[in-house]
Amino acid sequence: MGYDKRFDGRRADQMREIEARVGVIPRADGSAYFRIGRTIAYAAVYGPRNLYPRFLQDPSKGILRCRYNMMPFSGSGERVRPGGNRRSKEISMVTENALMPVLNLDDFPNAVVDVFIELPQTDSGTRCAGICAASMALADAGISMRDLVTSVSVGKVGSSLLVDLTYDEEAYEDEPVSDVPVAILPRTGQISLLQMDGEIEKDELIRLLDMAKKACWGIYEVQKAALKERFNCVKAD
Amino acid sequence: MNKDSKEHMLKSLRENLRFDGRRLSDFREISLELGVSDSAEGSARVRIGDTEVIAGVKLGVESPYPDTPDQGNLIVGTELLPIANPAFEPGPPGTESIEISRVVDRGIRESKVIDIKALCITPGEKVWAVNIDICSINDSGNLIDCAALATVAAIKDTVFPEFDGESVDYKKKSSKRLPLAKSRMPVTVTVVKIGEHLIVDPGFEEEAAIDARLTVASTAEGVICSMQKGGDKAISTEDVSSMIDLALLKAREISKVVERA
């Protein structure tokens, strides 16, 4: 018996329920809330603003700085100790790389754009939810962008190729599992985040990327709707 | 805050009017939501105007502190997350964050709202640890009252996970709630002195103009259970007396919001 029926009854290519809102943190220059199933991400953008200490400054362009953080009570088991660890540092770095291709910070030499991602509740797919929230928050902050960034995890449980794995699916014990978080730039279909752990054949990976792309176009519509909702009070004269 | 802005603020306070239209003793609207993070054993979101805080409770089994072998462990932490305020930076807790943690901790501990002895499993060996973490989402002033309110709401929401004597199963919630004395639920109100005026629930502009403040935690029975004076100006006994009166008056109003949740 393979894993052919998902625990929560979803189709193989079906994401969990998504909720997105923009402008949720009034003090921030831009902010967003993104929920996929039980995973919740807040993102806030501050900047472009002065960057100190000065040796970090780049006189040719502004820099992007991301911080991914789980709240202490957001893990499914014991309390997560506050402060960074190796995992959160790496996720912060790949988040920067996932967002950078759509940003143009040439007009902000020596400045920084800070993106803070905070998770109050998690059930896998946290870096992807963080990236979705962050790209909406950057748009809300009015940073010039070529595109939004959309992100979802895909993977293989047993012999089934699936979109948007939950914690229970990632922890499936009876069969091998592989997990592939992906970020897609929806207008061009290009990939700005790709990680993978587990075992997978090359042609399966290509099929998974195709599934991720289709799912991301769905996310893109939700992101756009949330941004339009935020600014629908602004009417042209 | 510069001198002219403060002069302007004082002028309007003399007319019982604040920058956002409130009177001196008005709170902004308070909203309270329980169960906002199901990975925590208890959680709550509190908004006071635009200020927003999430508090979460994680329970674990630990060994007790050597000086209190028959009591559970209570730990309060505050994360002033950098999403909440342009001046907050990532990193270990600073003095502001530690002050909030300690003032909230004293309110919970000294009010005896949690029956801490009932958290003992085997004296000297195993006790329940109540880890309360306060996370700021947006700081538009008065984080401390917001944090304290989110904390009492979160402990009210807390349910024990299953424990078989050896390990905790976080996936299974039991039907057992945290042992609370409802009448001792502390409500924390900070009264702020600007010039000769006393106000409650300062916004972030008002916080920048503070001369002194007094944070008072009190129970529904009107018992004062913890206090903290802040700000760099000294206050008189008369000030203390009127600040406490105002804090207790406001606490009665706010405790109704907690009861409804």
Side-chain angles (χ1 to χ4, degrees):
Chain A
M1 264 306 280
Y3 182 73
D4 47 12
K5 199 156 182 219
R6 300 182 77 169
F7 292 128
D8 52 13
R10 281 182 291 151
R11 295 188 316 272
D13 62 351
Q14 191 180 0
M15 288 180 289
R16 291 171 286 178
E17 188 197 22
I18 296 175
E19 185 187 349
R21 288 201 305 274
V22 176
V24 293
I25 299 168
R27 282 301 292 278
D29 297 316
S31 59
Y33 167 96
F34 187 88
R35 178 178 69 81
I36 182 160
R38 289 181 53 251
T39 296
I40 298 175
Y42 283 91
V45 171
Y46 286 92
R49 60 179 175 181
N50 293 336
L51 174 57
Y52 300 105
R54 280 181 65 173
F55 72 83
L56 294 173
Q57 296 180 353
D58 182 342
S60 66
K61 60 178 191 309
I63 69 162
L64 174 71
R65 196 164 55 175
C66 294
R67 186 185 94 132
Y68 164 100
N69 181 52
M70 283 173 70
M71 292 185 192
F73 46 79
S74 67
S76 41
E78 285 178 9
R79 175 175 182 263
V80 184
R81 287 180 67 119
N85 50 36
R86 285 159 57 105
R87 175 179 174 273
S88 69
K89 278 230 163 69
E90 187 208 356
I91 295 178
S92 301
M93 189 262 294
V94 297
T95 300
E96 277 166 19
N97 294 341
L99 296 168
M100 213 43 228
V102 303
L103 293 178
N104 179 359
L105 300 177
D106 291 353
D107 290 340
F108 308 109
N110 297 328
V112 63
V113 174
D114 273 311
V115 176
F116 300 116
I117 295 164
E118 298 288 345
L119 300 133
Q121 176 178 302
T122 64
D123 182 12
S124 289
T126 56
R127 72 196 68 187
C128 300
I131 289 169
C132 290
S135 89
M136 293 161 71
L138 284 162
D140 182 39
I143 310 279
S144 69
M145 297 166 78
R146 296 179 188 90
D147 200 351
L148 286 170
V149 183
T150 58
S151 183
V152 76
S153 79
V154 286
K156 185 177 154 191
V157 181
S159 57
S160 308
L161 302 182
L162 304 173
V163 169
D164 187 23
L165 276 65
T166 61
Y167 180 81
D168 287 339
E169 288 178 326
E170 277 186 14
Y172 195 66
E173 280 175 358
D174 301 347
E175 309 228 23
V177 175
S178 58
D179 170 34
V180 188
V182 178
I184 302 282
L185 315 183
R187 278 175 357 112
T188 58
Q190 285 195 305
I191 297 161
S192 66
L193 166 80
L194 180 59
Q195 294 181 290
M196 132 78 195
D197 55 71
E199 282 177 28
I200 204 151
E201 303 278 332
K202 184 192 145 194
D203 56 330
E204 286 172 333
L205 177 70
I206 301 299
R207 273 166 61 204
L208 279 177
L209 288 178
D210 195 49
M211 290 167 79
K213 234 174 253 186
K214 290 203 175 88
C216 279
W217 283 325
I219 295 174
Y220 184 43
E221 293 306 317
V222 178
Q223 288 176 313
K224 281 195 292 185
L227 283 159
K228 283 180 182 165
E229 177 70 25
R230 161 89 159 141
F231 294 104
N232 69 358
C233 51
V234 182
K235 295 245 161 58
D237 287 328
Chain B
M1 173 173 269
N2 69 45
K3 221 174 147 193
D4 287 346
S5 307
K6 183 145 183 183
E7 208 38 63
H8 183 59
M9 184 178 279
L10 287 170
K11 201 177 140 204
S12 101
L13 290 178
R14 275 195 287 277
E15 286 156 30
N16 194 17
L17 189 65
R18 294 159 68 174
F19 285 177
D20 58 4
R22 281 186 287 160
R23 287 172 307 164
L24 271 53
S25 60
D26 287 345
F27 255 74
R28 292 165 292 177
E29 196 183 313
I30 300 174
S31 74
L32 203 154
E33 199 184 323
L34 299 184
V36 296
S37 175
D38 60 14
S39 35
E41 275 69 68
S43 61
R45 178 200 317 278
V46 170
R47 288 195 182 95
I48 303 183
D50 275 342
T51 296
E52 181 175 339
V53 163
I54 295 180
V57 179
K58 285 300 291 180
L59 298 176
V61 175
E62 293 176 0
S63 32
Y65 298 121
D67 55 338
T68 52
D70 59 344
Q71 295 182 9
N73 300 342
L74 173 68
I75 307 106
V76 181
T78 304
E79 300 290 309
L80 293 180
L81 301 178
I83 57 171
N85 181 325
F88 292 168
E89 286 178 5
T95 44
E96 187 184 351
S97 144
I98 290 169
E99 184 183 29
I100 294 176
S101 302
R102 290 188 52 89
V103 170
V104 171
D105 181 299
R106 289 209 295 273
I108 300 287
R109 203 179 290 276
E110 304 305 330
S111 67
K112 299 182 178 65
V113 59
I114 302 177
D115 181 358
I116 209 154
K117 290 209 163 146
L119 297 173
C120 179
I121 302 166
T122 321
E125 282 178 31
K126 275 183 192 163
V127 297
W128 282 102
V130 182
N131 278 286
I132 303 172
D133 283 285
I134 297 162
C135 293
S136 63
I137 302 294
N138 186 70
D139 174 19
S140 294
N142 202 17
L143 270 181
I144 193 161
D145 292 359
C146 197
L149 197 52
T151 301
V152 293
I155 61 171
K156 222 178 139 179
D157 185 52
T158 301
V159 176
F160 282 90
E162 289 289 352
F163 176 65
D164 61 5
E166 285 298 319
S167 61
V168 178
D169 185 352
Y170 285 101
K171 292 210 150 175
K172 292 201 190 99
K173 291 201 172 178
S174 70
S175 54
K176 215 173 110 202
R177 295 198 156 265
L178 212 56
L180 300 179
K182 293 255 160 71
S183 63
R184 294 206 176 130
M185 203 65 96
V187 171
T188 300
V189 175
T190 299
V191 179
V192 161
K193 191 178 178 208
I194 302 177
E196 71 274 27
H197 308 285
L198 299 184
I199 65 168
V200 293
D201 187 27
F204 67 87
E205 281 176 310
E206 290 166 336
E207 277 185 342
I210 282 177
D211 291 317
R213 67 176 151 82
L214 188 66
T215 300
V216 181
S218 60
T219 67
E221 291 157 341
V223 179
I224 301 171
C225 46
S226 83
M227 289 202 292
Q228 175 90 340
K229 189 251 171 210
D232 52 13
K233 295 261 166 66
I235 49 177
S236 67
T237 314
E238 291 73 30
D239 286 334
V240 174
S241 166
S242 22
M243 286 164 120
I244 289 176
D245 287 343
L246 185 51
L248 293 181
L249 177 76
K250 288 287 135 182
R252 277 203 290 279
E253 291 173 26
I254 295 169
S255 64
K256 286 181 194 133
V257 181
V258 185
E259 275 165 31
R260 277 201 299 272

